[in-house]
Amino acid sequence: MKLTGYLRVSTESQMDGFGLNVQEKAVRSWCRANGHKLVALHTDAGISGAKDAADRPGLSAALYDIEKRTAEGLVVPRLDRLARAVTVQEATLALVWRYGGSMFAVDGGEVLRDDPDDPMRTAMREMAGVFAGLERRMIVKRMRDGRKAKAEAGRHAVGQYAYGLHGEGKGRERDAAPNPAEQAARDEIVRRRKAKESYREIAAALDAAGLKPRRADRWSAMAVRSVARRAGLS
């Protein structure tokens, strides 16, 4: 049978673990072992499995292969690569079957069409989708809890860093670190503000010294005031 393949990763950790290269190897090996011909392989990287096919270019292309009959079925490494939301999973399966295609998962073989005489088949598949969705939500919660714990420990987890700092490291080890290019300007602001210079005077001095703000060509009084307040100065 001629099959089109679909691979997906949504996070950086998946890139290093069950990444696209691992998924591709699994799909190609399975096709060879089961006598199928892989005619195309489509990917979505950094895209959530909770999104509909219309919002995933790779999945849309795979479904189009089946619709235009260049492929007779769709194969994925695991069913949760197709979707982590059961509603999206079931809608995608319905499209594959509507186009006359077959659905396969490397870890489970063919995903059989719904059978009114075997309601348990549908229930078990939907239950697997429910647990995939639960796993996704648990991952999100762990990430949120991790960021909260980091913040409570006085560390910076994600987001915008204050002027004078930037992020260093990856994953759980990422934290705020001095940005040498901005530290000189921050120190100058602190020194001049302690000397009772106005925000406008400090802005002019920074521009004259060639010390740049983060996202502008010149310093404004408001930008100087923001840095000063973060440093505990009024």
Side-chain angles (χ1 to χ4, degrees), residues 145-156:
D145 290 347
R147 288 195 294 267
K148 181 180 178 182
K150 248 184 154 180
E152 289 175 349
R155 300 177 67 193
H156 296 259

Side-chain angles (χ1 to χ4, degrees), residues 9-234:
V9 291
S10 57
T11 66
E12 187 175 340
S13 61
Q14 283 179 347
M15 290 288 194
D16 297 331
F18 192 52
L20 295 177
N21 58 333
V22 177
Q23 293 180 39
E24 179 177 352
K25 183 178 179 180
V27 166
R28 291 189 182 279
S29 296
W30 182 88
C31 286
R32 285 194 299 269
N34 290 274
H36 298 300
K37 181 180 180 181
L38 189 66
V39 297
L41 194 61
H42 304 282
T43 64
D44 283 318
I47 297 181
S48 169
K51 289 190 175 183
D52 293 332
D55 297 318
R56 286 192 261 164
L59 182 55
S60 295
L63 291 173
Y64 185 60
D65 287 342
I66 299 172
E67 183 182 12
K68 67 181 181 180
R69 305 299 174 86
T70 59
E72 301 169 90
L74 173 62
V75 57
V76 293
R78 297 193 310 234
L79 205 56
D80 68 355
R81 296 303 86 202
L82 186 66
R84 278 192 179 268
V86 67
T87 51
V88 178
Q89 169 188 293
E90 293 303 303
T92 306
L93 289 172
L95 276 177
V96 171
W97 293 328
R98 183 186 303 169
Y99 295 151
S102 299
M103 184 71 217
F104 299 92
V106 170
D107 66 341
E110 184 173 4
V111 182
L112 298 176
R113 295 170 182 261
D114 292 340
D115 182 351
D117 293 326
D118 186 9
M120 186 60 71
R121 175 192 300 175
T122 303
M124 292 299 292
R125 186 185 69 241
E126 290 177 344
M127 186 62 68
V130 168
F131 280 109
L134 174 61
E135 181 186 16
R136 174 176 58 85
R137 289 189 290 274
M138 290 297 290
I139 290 171
V140 171
K141 183 180 184 301
R142 285 198 299 270
M143 292 175 64
R144 186 169 59 244
D145 290 347
R147 288 195 294 267
K148 181 180 178 182
K150 248 184 154 180
E152 289 175 349
R155 300 177 67 193
H156 296 259
V158 295
Q160 180 67 44
Y161 292 94
Y163 187 83
L165 301 173
H166 63 178
E168 285 188 356
K170 289 186 176 181
R172 295 181 179 178
E173 300 305 315
R174 187 171 179 81
D175 203 354
N179 182 341
E182 296 178 351
Q183 281 291 315
R186 180 187 178 280
D187 291 345
E188 189 69 2
I189 289 172
V190 170
R191 184 183 69 81
R192 289 179 175 272
R193 191 58 187 164
K194 286 182 177 179
K196 305 301 182 182
E197 292 187 24
S198 70
Y199 297 129
R200 290 186 182 278
E201 289 173 334
I202 297 173
L206 293 173
D207 289 337
L211 298 172
K212 300 292 185 181
R214 183 170 291 174
R215 293 189 180 86
D217 294 329
R218 300 178 65 82
W219 284 93
S220 67
M222 289 298 294
V224 172
R225 178 175 178 269
S226 177
V227 174
R229 288 205 164 187
R230 282 183 178 274
L233 303 172
S234 59

